Amino acid sequence: MPIIIQKYGGTSVGTPERILNVAQRVLDTQRAGNSVVCVVSAMSGVTDGLIKLSKQVSQKPSDREMDVLLSTGEQTTIALTAMAINSLGGKAISLTGAQAGILTDGLHTKAKIANISPRQIRKHLEEGFICIVAGFQGQTLQGQITTLGRGGSDLTAIAIAAAVRADNCEIYTDVEGIYTCDPRIVPDARKIDTIAYDELLEMASSGSKVMQSRSVEFAKKFGVPFEVRSSFNTNRGTTVKEETPGLENVVVRGISVERNQAKVTITNVPDRPGAASRIFSTLSDAGVVIDVIVQNVSLSGTTDISFTMNKDELEKMDSVLSTVVREIGAGEMVKKDGIAKLSVVGIGMRSHSGVAAKLFEALGNGGINIQMISTSEIKIAVIIDEDKIAEAANLAHTAFGLAG
Ligand code: ADP
Ligand code: ASP
Ligand code: MG
């Protein structure tokens, strides 16, 4: 019997009525002659609510206890979904991450999946059960509860699909698929029919949070094609798969927006080997994730180095870098928040030129100043003022003819 994995996100299980809707859909899928594993997220707002609660009792809760707390969100949903299916006359059983055989490393709050042993899942499927698995969580070899990073239920679904060699993996959410840009930002964004892993990976890791980027990485690594679609209707969604020659014909597939960024400039850095290494190894040792880096050409013996990061990392960056700036004999450290990143993504860029020129022209005509530029083989990203980001996304979307 074909095995289908279905994942339902927070909004799709956000109310008792919606859980009953999911229960009915899952049941229909089983009755159509399939074995079904259903991965669910916490009901919408629950994970954020739990994080807020933790802050009311502790300024710095330990990562271990955060995992124990946050995993309860998904645990609530699996029980409710299983009950709903049973009340509709079906046969379902709920499984925590540990019960589903999801083994992780011990990096609490962003654990990596080390192994999945799908024995329990297979056994229950053979007995005719629908398995309802808690997304976003696993267990270490020592029996500690872990979570897989925000949005981690996507990863649970893809990983189980790989482990049981599922025939189909379907990610159900509150939009009809992957759009050319977040439809909340660009109202005339269009649903994409097919997208390559690499394109979605670039989009997801540069702000399009429709899929967790780690889950897309996993899908690419293990060759798990999947479909992103709506839990509110039966329309076809977006197929995500390995790239094929036809996919290269479209130069720009989509546009991503990442808000809440900050820029730091270190002025008058002595232009000698080792200076940049000292700065960035200090940041890396402290776990500060750096995004775009720009170093100006030096004519006078010193150079300015600018880099961007998430605004929330600014304080940590400051605390570890102030001394280093002094020690290497650099000038000052200038910090600026209120900036955002706009990325234009498409595998067709490998074989087509002119994308950067078109993007810069569209932004220039709109009076939007570009502060930094970064490129990869399939992406061009610009750093601009955050209050212009929606306008910039709409301008770029029109310039590349992405509207429906
Ligand atoms: P779920 O709770 O189902 O996991 P998410 O909130 O994580 O859902 O992801 C769905 C949301 O992602 C959409 O409501 C949409 O606003 C946002 N989003 C961002 N970028 C895109 C995009 N390119 N295409 C579709 N949705 C996007
Ligand atoms: N509940 C978790 C979160 O809100 C995981 C998920 O929804 O995928 O991040
Ligand atoms: Mg999500």
Side-chain angles (χ1 to χ4, degrees):
M1 203 185 283
I3 303 180
I4 312 273
I5 313 296
Q6 298 191 335
K7 178 255 171 179
Y8 292 89
T11 318
S12 305
V13 291
T15 62
E17 294 71 33
R18 287 185 175 175
I19 290 179
L20 280 161
N21 167 54
V22 165
Q24 190 61 58
R25 295 179 73 111
V26 171
L27 202 48
D28 291 346
T29 310
Q30 189 198 39
R31 287 180 177 158
N34 302 293
S35 289
V36 188
V37 180
C38 168
V39 175
V40 287
S41 290
M43 295 168 78
S44 57
V46 165
T47 308
D48 288 338
L50 291 170
I51 293 173
K52 245 189 223 147
L53 259 181
S54 72
K55 292 196 172 134
Q56 286 167 19
V57 297
S58 165
Q59 288 206 322
K60 221 176 169 300
S62 78
D63 287 345
R64 180 193 183 278
E65 299 310 333
M66 281 311 286
D67 277 352
V68 174
L69 179 68
L70 296 191
S71 62
T72 63
E74 271 69 12
Q75 208 160 319
T76 305
T77 325
I78 51 169
L80 291 173
T81 310
M83 288 173 193
I85 292 173
N86 293 337
S87 77
L88 293 172
K91 189 174 155 190
I93 185 164
S94 64
L95 299 170
T96 63
Q99 290 170 329
I102 298 176
L103 192 73
T104 73
D105 65 14
L107 198 62
H108 284 290
T109 77
K110 34 183 156 340
K112 286 202 174 67
I113 295 180
N115 188 30
I116 299 188
S117 77
R119 236 189 29 238
Q120 281 302 316
I121 292 182
R122 283 194 187 285
K123 174 175 160 280
H124 292 308
L125 291 179
E126 275 158 24
E127 291 163 354
F129 282 99
I130 295 171
C131 292
I132 313 294
V133 178
F136 176 56
Q137 56 174 266
Q139 180 178 255
T140 66
L141 211 50
Q142 293 75 30
Q144 302 291 325
I145 297 174
T146 50
T147 62
L148 309 175
R150 294 305 304 265
S153 300
D154 294 332
L155 179 57
T156 306
I158 303 276
I160 290 179
V164 302
R165 295 200 183 81
D167 294 85
N168 265 326
C169 179
E170 301 162 352
I171 308 289
Y172 289 90
T173 183
D174 58 1
V175 281
E176 288 199 14
I178 314 287
Y179 281 64
T180 46
C181 190
D182 186 343
R184 293 186 213 193
I185 298 171
V186 175
D188 59 2
R190 188 178 43 82
K191 181 167 71 184
I192 298 167
D193 291 332
T194 308
I195 188 168
Y197 294 128
D198 280 336
E199 291 172 319
L200 183 57
L201 190 52
E202 282 281 10
M203 286 178 74
S205 51
S206 57
S208 296
K209 297 270 155 60
V210 57
M211 284 293 291
Q212 188 209 33
S213 58
R214 278 176 57 194
S215 71
V216 186
E217 218 176 321
F218 194 103
K220 180 182 168 176
K221 188 165 165 195
F222 292 95
V224 181
F226 60 96
E227 186 182 354
V228 179
R229 52 192 295 179
S230 169
S231 65
F232 303 128
N233 59 42
T234 54
N235 297 344
R236 295 296 321 177
T238 302
T239 302
V240 186
K241 60 180 188 104
E242 197 52 72
E243 73 181 78
T244 49
L247 280 179
E248 279 212 21
N249 296 336
V250 174
V251 184
V252 172
R253 183 86 51 204
I255 291 174
S256 297
V257 158
E258 192 152 30
R259 298 178 195 268
N260 207 32
Q261 302 298 291
K263 180 171 92 173
V264 176
T265 301
I266 302 175
T267 65
N268 293 322
V269 179
D271 191 15
R272 60 168 182 257
S277 148
R278 183 80 200 283
I279 292 170
F280 292 104
S281 56
T282 305
L283 292 169
S284 146
D285 291 346
V288 179
V289 180
I290 299 301
D291 188 9
V292 180
I293 302 174
V294 169
Q295 177 177 301
N296 294 346
V297 177
S298 161
L299 292 175
S300 60
T302 66
T303 171
D304 288 353
I305 297 181
S306 297
F307 50 89
T308 65
M309 70 192 91
N310 195 291
K311 189 174 122 194
D312 304 338
E313 304 263 85
L314 212 47
E315 213 175 295
K316 203 195 302 174
M317 181 285 307
D318 203 4
S319 68
V320 295
L321 216 55
S322 310
T323 348
V324 174
V325 169
R326 241 179 295 120
E327 283 171 9
I328 60 174
E332 49 176 345
M333 182 158 78
V334 185
K335 290 168 284 182
K336 182 178 189 298
D337 59 9
I339 59 165
K341 186 170 76 167
L342 177 84
S343 306
V344 172
V345 174
I347 50 175
M349 278 184 211
R350 288 190 198 126
S351 47
H352 294 77
S353 58
V355 179
K358 193 181 256 189
L359 175 64
F360 301 161
E361 187 188 3
L363 298 181
N365 289 343
I368 293 169
N369 191 36
I370 299 169
Q371 300 177 26
M372 290 165 100
I373 300 165
S374 127
T375 62
S376 80
E377 207 188 9
I378 64 164
K379 178 187 79 177
I380 295 172
V382 292
I383 302 290
I384 61 172
D385 277 340
E386 192 166 10
D387 58 8
K388 296 272 188 207
I389 192 71
E391 193 185 338
N394 279 280
L395 284 169
H397 197 262
T398 307
F400 289 106
L402 295 177

mmCIF file of all heavy atoms in Angstrom, residues 283-300:
data_model
loop_
_atom_site.group_PDB
_atom_site.id
_atom_site.type_symbol
_atom_site.label_atom_id
_atom_site.label_comp_id
_atom_site.label_asym_id
_atom_site.label_seq_id
_atom_site.Cartn_x
_atom_site.Cartn_y
_atom_site.Cartn_z
ATOM 1 N N LEU A 283 33.715 36.382 16.159
ATOM 2 C CA LEU A 283 32.254 36.312 16.025
ATOM 3 C C LEU A 283 31.792 34.864 15.922
ATOM 4 O O LEU A 283 30.803 34.458 16.541
ATOM 5 C CB LEU A 283 31.803 37.102 14.795
ATOM 6 C CG LEU A 283 31.994 38.621 14.900
ATOM 7 C CD1 LEU A 283 31.764 39.286 13.553
ATOM 8 C CD2 LEU A 283 31.030 39.196 15.941
ATOM 9 N N SER A 284 32.543 34.081 15.161
ATOM 10 C CA SER A 284 32.150 32.690 14.975
ATOM 11 C C SER A 284 32.249 31.917 16.288
ATOM 12 O O SER A 284 31.349 31.139 16.639
ATOM 13 C CB SER A 284 33.020 32.093 13.875
ATOM 14 O OG SER A 284 33.284 30.764 14.121
ATOM 15 N N ASP A 285 33.321 32.152 17.055
ATOM 16 C CA ASP A 285 33.463 31.460 18.346
ATOM 17 C C ASP A 285 32.305 31.794 19.284
ATOM 18 O O ASP A 285 31.884 30.973 20.095
ATOM 19 C CB ASP A 285 34.787 31.847 19.030
ATOM 20 C CG ASP A 285 35.975 31.283 18.269
ATOM 21 O OD1 ASP A 285 35.758 30.410 17.403
ATOM 22 O OD2 ASP A 285 37.118 31.738 18.523
ATOM 23 N N ALA A 286 31.777 33.025 19.151
ATOM 24 C CA ALA A 286 30.672 33.439 20.032
ATOM 25 C C ALA A 286 29.323 32.997 19.477
ATOM 26 O O ALA A 286 28.270 33.263 20.055
ATOM 27 C CB ALA A 286 30.701 34.947 20.207
ATOM 28 N N GLY A 287 29.332 32.354 18.310
ATOM 29 C CA GLY A 287 28.081 31.854 17.720
ATOM 30 C C GLY A 287 27.243 32.948 17.072
ATOM 31 O O GLY A 287 26.039 32.786 16.888
ATOM 32 N N VAL A 288 27.882 34.087 16.714
ATOM 33 C CA VAL A 288 27.130 35.153 16.029
ATOM 34 C C VAL A 288 27.134 34.840 14.526
ATOM 35 O O VAL A 288 28.192 34.704 13.923
ATOM 36 C CB VAL A 288 27.779 36.545 16.276
ATOM 37 C CG1 VAL A 288 27.008 37.630 15.536
ATOM 38 C CG2 VAL A 288 27.849 36.842 17.767
ATOM 39 N N VAL A 289 25.945 34.719 13.961
ATOM 40 C CA VAL A 289 25.851 34.339 12.543
ATOM 41 C C VAL A 289 25.904 35.598 11.672
ATOM 42 O O VAL A 289 25.061 36.490 11.798
ATOM 43 C CB VAL A 289 24.552 33.552 12.262
ATOM 44 C CG1 VAL A 289 24.463 33.174 10.786
ATOM 45 C CG2 VAL A 289 24.487 32.316 13.129
ATOM 46 N N ILE A 290 26.919 35.668 10.820
ATOM 47 C CA ILE A 290 27.114 36.827 9.953
ATOM 48 C C ILE A 290 26.579 36.510 8.563
ATOM 49 O O ILE A 290 26.709 35.394 8.081
ATOM 50 C CB ILE A 290 28.634 37.159 9.858
ATOM 51 C CG1 ILE A 290 29.178 37.497 11.242
ATOM 52 C CG2 ILE A 290 28.904 38.291 8.885
ATOM 53 C CD1 ILE A 290 28.520 38.653 11.908
ATOM 54 N N ASP A 291 25.988 37.521 7.920
ATOM 55 C CA ASP A 291 25.416 37.275 6.593
ATOM 56 C C ASP A 291 26.290 37.918 5.518
ATOM 57 O O ASP A 291 27.288 37.360 5.104
ATOM 58 C CB ASP A 291 23.974 37.793 6.586
ATOM 59 C CG ASP A 291 23.230 37.421 5.329
ATOM 60 O OD1 ASP A 291 23.759 36.628 4.538
ATOM 61 O OD2 ASP A 291 22.110 37.921 5.110
ATOM 62 N N VAL A 292 25.968 39.146 5.108
ATOM 63 C CA VAL A 292 26.718 39.791 4.019
ATOM 64 C C VAL A 292 27.977 40.456 4.579
ATOM 65 O O VAL A 292 27.931 41.083 5.640
ATOM 66 C CB VAL A 292 25.831 40.874 3.353
ATOM 67 C CG1 VAL A 292 26.584 41.564 2.220
ATOM 68 C CG2 VAL A 292 24.537 40.260 2.850
ATOM 69 N N ILE A 293 29.103 40.324 3.886
ATOM 70 C CA ILE A 293 30.347 40.990 4.306
ATOM 71 C C ILE A 293 30.879 41.821 3.140
ATOM 72 O O ILE A 293 30.932 41.338 2.010
ATOM 73 C CB ILE A 293 31.443 39.971 4.695
ATOM 74 C CG1 ILE A 293 30.950 39.062 5.822
ATOM 75 C CG2 ILE A 293 32.733 40.684 5.102
ATOM 76 C CD1 ILE A 293 31.912 37.931 6.171
ATOM 77 N N VAL A 294 31.268 43.066 3.413
ATOM 78 C CA VAL A 294 31.869 43.899 2.377
ATOM 79 C C VAL A 294 33.126 44.544 2.930
ATOM 80 O O VAL A 294 33.122 45.093 4.029
ATOM 81 C CB VAL A 294 30.892 45.012 1.910
ATOM 82 C CG1 VAL A 294 31.611 46.027 1.034
ATOM 83 C CG2 VAL A 294 29.722 44.411 1.153
ATOM 84 N N GLN A 295 34.236 44.454 2.172
ATOM 85 C CA GLN A 295 35.445 45.170 2.579
ATOM 86 C C GLN A 295 35.836 46.104 1.441
ATOM 87 O O GLN A 295 35.912 45.682 0.290
ATOM 88 C CB GLN A 295 36.586 44.191 2.865
ATOM 89 C CG GLN A 295 37.874 44.910 3.208
ATOM 90 C CD GLN A 295 39.002 43.952 3.561
ATOM 91 O OE1 GLN A 295 38.881 43.176 4.498
ATOM 92 N NE2 GLN A 295 40.075 44.003 2.808
ATOM 93 N N ASN A 296 36.055 47.365 1.774
ATOM 94 C CA ASN A 296 36.403 48.332 0.726
ATOM 95 C C ASN A 296 37.847 48.160 0.293
ATOM 96 O O ASN A 296 38.704 47.797 1.092
ATOM 97 C CB ASN A 296 36.219 49.757 1.249
ATOM 98 C CG ASN A 296 34.770 50.058 1.546
ATOM 99 O OD1 ASN A 296 33.883 49.322 1.136
ATOM 100 N ND2 ASN A 296 34.530 51.124 2.268
ATOM 101 N N VAL A 297 38.117 48.509 -0.956
ATOM 102 C CA VAL A 297 39.494 48.495 -1.456
ATOM 103 C C VAL A 297 40.270 49.580 -0.721
ATOM 104 O O VAL A 297 39.796 50.697 -0.546
ATOM 105 C CB VAL A 297 39.516 48.784 -2.979
ATOM 106 C CG1 VAL A 297 40.946 48.841 -3.489
ATOM 107 C CG2 VAL A 297 38.718 47.730 -3.709
ATOM 108 N N SER A 298 41.435 49.210 -0.234
ATOM 109 C CA SER A 298 42.195 50.171 0.551
ATOM 110 C C SER A 298 43.246 50.877 -0.305
ATOM 111 O O SER A 298 44.005 50.251 -1.021
ATOM 112 C CB SER A 298 42.892 49.416 1.677
ATOM 113 O OG SER A 298 43.949 50.173 2.173
ATOM 114 N N LEU A 299 43.264 52.211 -0.242
ATOM 115 C CA LEU A 299 44.309 52.960 -0.936
ATOM 116 C C LEU A 299 45.262 53.588 0.074
ATOM 117 O O LEU A 299 46.381 53.953 -0.236
ATOM 118 C CB LEU A 299 43.674 54.066 -1.795
ATOM 119 C CG LEU A 299 42.856 53.582 -3.003
ATOM 120 C CD1 LEU A 299 42.172 54.756 -3.695
ATOM 121 C CD2 LEU A 299 43.733 52.836 -3.990
ATOM 122 N N SER A 300 44.780 53.713 1.335
ATOM 123 C CA SER A 300 45.531 54.498 2.318
ATOM 124 C C SER A 300 46.167 53.650 3.416
ATOM 125 O O SER A 300 46.610 54.167 4.422
ATOM 126 C CB SER A 300 44.572 55.488 2.969
ATOM 127 O OG SER A 300 43.552 54.731 3.601
#
